[in-house]
């Protein structure tokens, strides 16, 4: 099921999943494992949302390679951010589902998807809010979030996750902006996630998590600056630059 799944949003730190997948796919194409340098950057980029590591990998992969990877993944409305601003990549819920599918589909072209899924289970505790809220017992959550305030459209607060278990696998993507605070966005996402988990688990979802107003920082994920970028016109809502 989907609502406005083709609407574009600034990706913020969920773009790091795309970067990770690009690194894994490039290594496979070269018929090698990840280098020591790649390992030293991929892990902190995912598990603690380290921006310096993300910029290094984004730059190393290059826009050409990332564009080809997105095409291979089947995305149609994801547009890479300008220069080094990976957090200003424009994306949709549909495309984020396709990128999660790269990690969860046994027929995926990404053979090292298990490593990527494992990293998403190791995201540190204070960044595991969002779509895992209300997850039934017996499932494992693989999650990545983004939280970015800007001068237009307020807080972008996003959560993408895959949920795997012995009996089933499913994915949830919630992208939002125009949130007055980060906590408001987190609360919105978690209420949606609780309803989805409850429906899929026939009412056996876990109790809601604590009120995010008391547990969520109002600090940006730092994936893009607050104001406009010099020499770059911000795209209109839903427009492709």
């Amino acid at each position: 099921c989907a609502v406005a799944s083709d609407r574009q949003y600034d990706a913020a730190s969920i773009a790091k999943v795309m970067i990770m997948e690009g690194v894994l796919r490039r290594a496979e194409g070269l018929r090698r494992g990840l280098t020591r340098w790649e390992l030293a950057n991929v892990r902190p980029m995912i598990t603690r949302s380290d921006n310096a590591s993300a910029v290094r990998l984004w730059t190393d992969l290059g826009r050409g390679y990332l564009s080809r990877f997105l095409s291979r993944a089947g995305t149609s409305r994801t547009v890479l951010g300008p220069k080094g601003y990976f957090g200003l990549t424009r994306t949709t819920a549909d495309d984020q589902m396709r990128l999660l599918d790269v990690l969860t589909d046994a027929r995926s072209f990404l053979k090292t998807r298990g490593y990527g899924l494992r990293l998403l289970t190791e995201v540190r505790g204070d960044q595991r809010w969002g779509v895992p809220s209300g997850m039934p017992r017996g499932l494992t959550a693989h999650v990545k979030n983004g939280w970015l305030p800007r001068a237009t459209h307020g807080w972008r607060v996003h959560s993408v996750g895959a949920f795997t278990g012995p009996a089933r696998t499913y994915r949830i993507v919630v992208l939002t902006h125009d949130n007055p605070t980060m906590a408001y966005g987190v609360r919105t996402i978690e209420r949606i996630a609780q309803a989805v988990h409850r429906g899929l688990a026939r009412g056996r979802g876990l109790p809601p998590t604590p009120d995010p107003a008391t547990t969520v920082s109002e600090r940006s994920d730092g994936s893009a600056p607050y104001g406009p970028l010099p020499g770059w016109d911000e795209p209109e809502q839903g427009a492709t630059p």
Side-chain angles (χ1 to χ4, degrees), residues 101-166:
D101 197 48
V102 170
L103 295 174
T104 57
D105 190 339
R107 300 164 297 178
S108 170
F109 62 85
L110 188 65
K111 304 307 178 186
T112 51
R113 60 192 181 86
Y115 176 74
L117 281 172
R118 187 166 69 251
L119 285 184
L120 294 175
T121 68
E122 298 173 6
V123 170
R124 71 187 201 185
D126 63 340
Q127 296 180 11
R128 295 187 66 79
W129 45 263
V131 292
S133 183
M135 179 185 73
R137 291 182 176 87
L139 294 178
T140 300
H142 314 265
V143 64
K144 186 72 189 81
N145 296 326
W147 56 102
L148 176 68
R150 302 207 71 219
T152 58
H153 292 298
W155 277 89
R156 292 96 167 113
V157 185
H158 312 316
S159 187
V160 305
F163 302 90
T164 60

Side-chain angles (χ1 to χ4, degrees), residues 196-212:
V196 173
H197 288 303
R198 187 165 58 247
L200 292 175
R202 298 181 181 178
R204 296 192 296 272
L206 294 175
T209 56
D211 183 352

Side-chain angles (χ1 to χ4, degrees), residues 76-120:
S76 60
R77 286 178 56 77
T78 295
V79 182
L80 298 174
K83 302 179 182 178
Y85 297 109
F86 64 88
L88 295 183
T89 294
R90 303 282 288 170
T91 193
T92 68
D94 273 343
D95 282 357
Q96 288 302 307
M97 279 288 192
R98 292 185 178 94
L99 290 171
L100 286 177
D101 197 48
V102 170
L103 295 174
T104 57
D105 190 339
R107 300 164 297 178
S108 170
F109 62 85
L110 188 65
K111 304 307 178 186
T112 51
R113 60 192 181 86
Y115 176 74
L117 281 172
R118 187 166 69 251
L119 285 184
L120 294 175

Side-chain angles (χ1 to χ4, degrees), residues 175-236:
L175 309 182
T176 73
H177 62 200
D178 289 323
N179 297 287
T181 65
M182 178 178 170
Y184 182 95
V186 172
R187 184 182 298 111
T188 300
I189 291 171
E190 293 193 335
R191 287 176 175 170
I192 293 168
Q194 289 159 17
V196 173
H197 288 303
R198 187 165 58 247
L200 292 175
R202 298 181 181 178
R204 296 192 296 272
L206 294 175
T209 56
D211 183 352
T214 61
T215 60
V216 174
S217 166
E218 293 292 325
R219 181 177 298 176
S220 169
D221 69 13
S223 59
Y226 180 79
L229 305 181
W232 187 65
D233 293 329
E234 297 282 345
E236 295 295 328

